[in-house]
Amino acid sequence: MTLVLEVLGDTLASLLHDDPRRVIFGEDVTTGGHVGLTRSIALNPELSARLVATPLVPTTMFAHAAGVALAGGMP
């Protein structure tokens, strides 16, 4: 299980490196997430600014994502 999470985390970090418009929303993503999926991103000063902690409420996440998309980002 740990190997799978590391591969997924590395893939997410790679996607953020590839396109500076990408942003990750979610509950606890700034601290690494519940299972540690975003831990490597949170520890990277270059990428950690693109982790946005949002409450687990669909309308709030949609509002944040819509605002980022309107500003030219890729939530």
Side-chain angles (χ1 to χ4, degrees), residues 34-54:
H34 295 293
V35 294
L37 188 61
T38 57
R39 186 174 298 134
S40 64
I41 298 169
L43 295 174
N44 184 333
E46 179 184 331
L47 299 177
S48 64
R50 292 193 275 151
L51 294 175
V52 180
T54 59

Side-chain angles (χ1 to χ4, degrees), residues 17-41:
H17 272 295
D18 291 345
D19 192 347
R21 299 175 298 160
R22 289 191 172 120
V23 179
I24 296 177
F25 290 104
E27 189 173 9
D28 296 333
V29 294
T30 56
T31 59
H34 295 293
V35 294
L37 188 61
T38 57
R39 186 174 298 134
S40 64
I41 298 169

